Amino acid sequence: MRRPIMRTLARLLRADPPAAERDDNEIMETMMNRAQVLARAGDYPRDQPGRGFRIEAKAGETVARVYLYDSIGYWGIRADDIVPQIHALDVDTLHLHINSPGGDVFDARAIKTALDANRANVVAHIDGLAASAASYVMLAGDEIEIADGAFVMIHEAWGVAIGPADDMRAMADILDQITT
């Protein structure tokens, strides 16, 4: 089942010049593009169509696993879908597996807040990519383990605004609040 993703990844890797010939921004852009291609490939656990998360928890067990394998926000893992399920977990250890290009910062904050509120010891596992908003969710981990070859990408908040100068200044103020 993993072969289509591996062929896609191999094709993407062959198409790139060596990293030494690219600057950091080009490398990050390439990683984000690859993550989006892989996220769209559909070869990851899904709880329901369009939602790239899965929670594995059995009654009476003290360990649960949460998989975040999609973009975060309206187009992927929505806080209103996953947060109630995180609150319902009554376990000692929660393994949080992440492979996400990021997404909406506010959904990520709600997910992280739910993980922080859970009494479990949270072990964050970066299985492939924790970029942007997903890197913020990663910070809910009491322990963070990054797999060999996996990546974490952290950046300041960014956004899009349309309108007059006052709207642009208001957006800049919001971005400053998010970043600090």
Side-chain angles (χ1 to χ4, degrees):
M1 202 110 174
R2 303 288 276 160
R3 290 183 193 267
I5 283 185
M6 295 312 290
R7 280 194 296 264
T8 301
L9 183 57
R11 183 175 37 75
L12 289 170
L13 289 171
R14 283 192 303 271
D16 291 335
E21 297 175 17
R22 297 178 288 160
D23 66 25
D24 290 343
N25 289 335
E26 287 178 294
I27 292 169
M28 268 301 147
E29 184 176 340
T30 300
M31 285 175 34
M32 292 300 290
N33 288 339
R34 287 180 187 159
Q36 290 171 356
V37 167
L38 294 175
R40 285 193 292 270
D43 189 20
Y44 48 83
R46 287 186 175 257
D47 193 32
Q48 48 187 293
R51 304 286 183 254
F53 76 90
R54 180 178 74 210
I55 296 178
E56 294 177 355
K58 295 180 181 169
E61 290 194 6
T62 62
V63 177
R65 294 187 178 277
V66 175
Y67 294 86
L68 302 180
Y69 274 41
D70 201 348
S71 298
I72 296 170
Y74 178 75
W75 53 90
I77 303 164
R78 292 176 29 182
D80 61 343
D81 290 331
I82 193 168
V83 166
Q85 294 183 47
I86 292 171
H87 284 307
L89 292 173
D90 184 20
V91 293
D92 297 329
T93 304
L94 194 155
H95 291 277
L96 173 65
H97 293 268
I98 301 173
N99 184 31
S100 171
D104 183 83
V105 68
F106 297 109
D107 277 82
R109 283 182 183 244
I111 294 167
K112 181 184 179 294
T113 299
L115 291 163
D116 287 342
N118 194 293
R119 70 172 187 82
N121 179 59
V122 177
V123 182
H125 302 269
I126 310 311
D127 296 336
L129 176 66
S132 191
S135 69
Y136 186 74
V137 174
M138 170 192 77
L139 297 177
D142 299 302
E143 303 169 42
I144 299 173
E145 298 178 2
I146 303 172
D148 289 340
F151 289 89
V152 174
M153 191 273 287
I154 301 171
H155 64 88
E156 289 189 2
W158 62 274
V160 176
I162 299 172
D166 287 344
D167 291 345
M168 302 297 167
R169 280 188 279 280
M171 174 57 97
D173 290 342
I174 289 169
L175 292 174
D176 287 340
Q177 287 178 334
I178 292 169
T179 299
T180 55

